[in-house]
Amino acid sequence: YVSLCAVSETKLVPIECEIKSSFRLDTRELEEKITDRSKLLVLNSPNNPTGSVLSRKTLEDIAEIAIKNDLLVLSDECYEKFIYGGGEHVSIASIPGMSQRTITIGSSSKTYAMTGWRVGYIVVPDSLLPYVLRMHSIICTCVGTFNQYGYMEALRHAENDVRNMIAEYEKRRELVLGYMKQMPILDFAVPEGAFYFFPNVSKTGMNSTEFCSYMLNEAGVAMVPGDVFHGVDSVRFAYCKPIDYLRSAMERFKAAIDKI
C-alpha cells in the first residue's frame, strides 16, 4: 500500500501500532490524524505482518469515525480464515452504515493455498463500480478461465480442508511461540491471526536489515526486514511451512540468537 500511494500520488498517513499493545489500533490516534483532506482509510485484519486482529468493538468505533468524517474504507481481508484461539473475523462492511462506503478485498491465495493462481475478489459500493471496472480492464482485463473454475470449486467444496489447514497452522504457531519464549532478547506479540511473527530485534544491537542478514548467513533462515512495514526494529517471518521444517529452522534460529 505504501508503493500504491506513491504511484497514485496520494499522501500516506500511517497510524503506528505498538508491540506493547499487541499491535492493536488506537482509534483515538486514528481520529486525531484525520483532516478535511482525508479520503480513504486502509484496514488489514487479520494483519500482515503483525498477526493482529481488529475486534468487533474496534471496528464499530472505526465505523463511527468513518461515517462522521465521510471516509471510504478499504478493508483487506485476505487472511480472514486465519484466526486462532477461538477469535472471530468481522468484516467492517457488515457493520450498519458501512456497506456503501467500504471496499472489501479477498483472495484465494491464503485461504485456499492458490497463491500462484492470482485469483481474488473485490466488493465495492455501486457508486465506485465504474471506476473499479476501468482500472481492472487496464491492469488485467480478466483472470484466466481455469483459475476461476478452480476458485469456484474451492468455494463450493473446500471448507473442511480449510478448517483442517487452519488447525495445522495453529500447531505451527504454537511451535514457533514455544521457541520465541526461550529468547528474551526478542520482544514479540502473540499473533491472533494470519501466519507471521513480527518480533522487535532492537535488543540485539542490530536494525531489522542487519538482523535479517545475520540470520540468513548464520542460520539459513530468511525473513523480511520490518522497515518495509514501517517497523524499522522488527522483522517478519512466516510459519507456513510443515512442522518438521519449522522445528529445524527454529533450532538454527535459536542457536544463532544464543551467539549474540
Side-chain angles (χ1 to χ4, degrees):
Y1 293 111
V2 175
S3 299
L4 291 172
C5 286
V7 169
S8 60
E9 297 184 348
T10 54
K11 181 181 179 181
L12 172 69
V13 181
I15 310 296
E16 300 295 339
C17 299
E18 299 183 356
I19 196 169
K20 64 183 180 182
S21 61
S22 297
F23 300 107
R24 291 186 174 89
L25 177 67
D26 185 336
T27 53
R28 292 171 300 180
E29 183 180 357
L30 166 62
E31 194 155 26
E32 289 171 0
K33 292 285 184 76
I34 294 172
T35 72
D36 58 0
R37 293 175 61 84
S38 301
K39 301 296 182 184
L40 175 71
L41 173 62
V42 179
L43 302 177
N44 174 213
S45 178
N47 184 259
N48 170 11
T50 67
S52 65
V53 177
L54 293 172
S55 69
R56 183 180 295 274
K57 175 62 168 63
T58 299
L59 287 168
E60 289 171 347
D61 292 343
I62 293 171
E64 184 177 331
I65 293 169
I67 293 169
K68 174 183 174 182
N69 293 278
D70 194 24
L71 297 178
L72 288 171
V73 174
L74 175 66
S75 183
D76 178 343
E77 302 177 17
C78 291
Y79 294 88
E80 61 180 331
K81 298 292 187 181
F82 290 82
I83 301 286
Y84 310 112
E88 67 168 345
H89 167 70
V90 178
S91 175
I92 193 169
S94 68
I95 294 173
M98 291 304 296
S99 64
Q100 288 304 306
R101 63 174 66 249
T102 302
I103 303 162
T104 306
I105 296 172
S107 173
S108 67
S109 294
K110 315 305 178 185
T111 301
Y112 300 110
M114 296 168 63
T115 311
W117 291 40
R118 316 311 292 167
V119 188
Y121 65 84
I122 182 171
V123 182
V124 300
D126 294 340
S127 60
L128 293 180
L129 189 57
Y131 307 102
V132 171
L133 291 175
R134 189 181 305 167
M135 291 302 299
H136 186 267
S137 65
I138 292 169
I139 293 170
C140 64
T141 304
C142 177
V143 176
T145 303
F146 80 91
N147 310 57
Q148 295 184 56
Y149 273 106
Y151 193 13
M152 183 169 64
E153 187 73 11
L155 287 168
R156 287 175 173 172
H157 302 296
E159 284 310 303
N160 284 336
D161 298 290
V162 171
R163 281 192 289 270
N164 292 336
M165 181 178 69
I166 301 304
E168 180 64 24
Y169 269 80
E170 190 148 17
K171 293 177 185 176
R172 296 172 185 180
R173 184 190 70 146
E174 292 304 308
L175 173 73
V176 175
L177 178 59
Y179 280 96
M180 293 291 290
K181 289 179 177 178
Q182 300 175 45
M183 295 178 272
I185 198 170
L186 302 179
D187 293 324
F188 67 95
V190 180
E192 300 170 307
F195 44 69
Y196 307 104
F197 272 80
F198 198 57
N200 185 293
V201 301
S202 58
K203 291 180 183 177
T204 67
M206 293 179 263
N207 62 34
S208 64
T209 301
E210 292 167 341
F211 184 85
C212 287
S213 295
Y214 171 75
M215 278 298 167
L216 187 60
N217 293 317
E218 186 68 27
V221 176
M223 292 165 289
V224 179
D227 52 2
V228 300
F229 306 105
H230 289 277
V232 292
D233 294 322
S234 296
V235 297
R236 188 198 76 173
F237 63 90
Y239 52 89
C240 52
K241 291 290 186 178
I243 288 285
D244 290 344
Y245 189 103
L246 278 176
R247 185 177 289 109
S248 173
M250 292 309 298
E251 286 288 344
R252 299 195 307 273
F253 185 90
K254 185 178 182 302
I257 285 288
D258 291 343
K259 292 180 181 180
I260 296 176

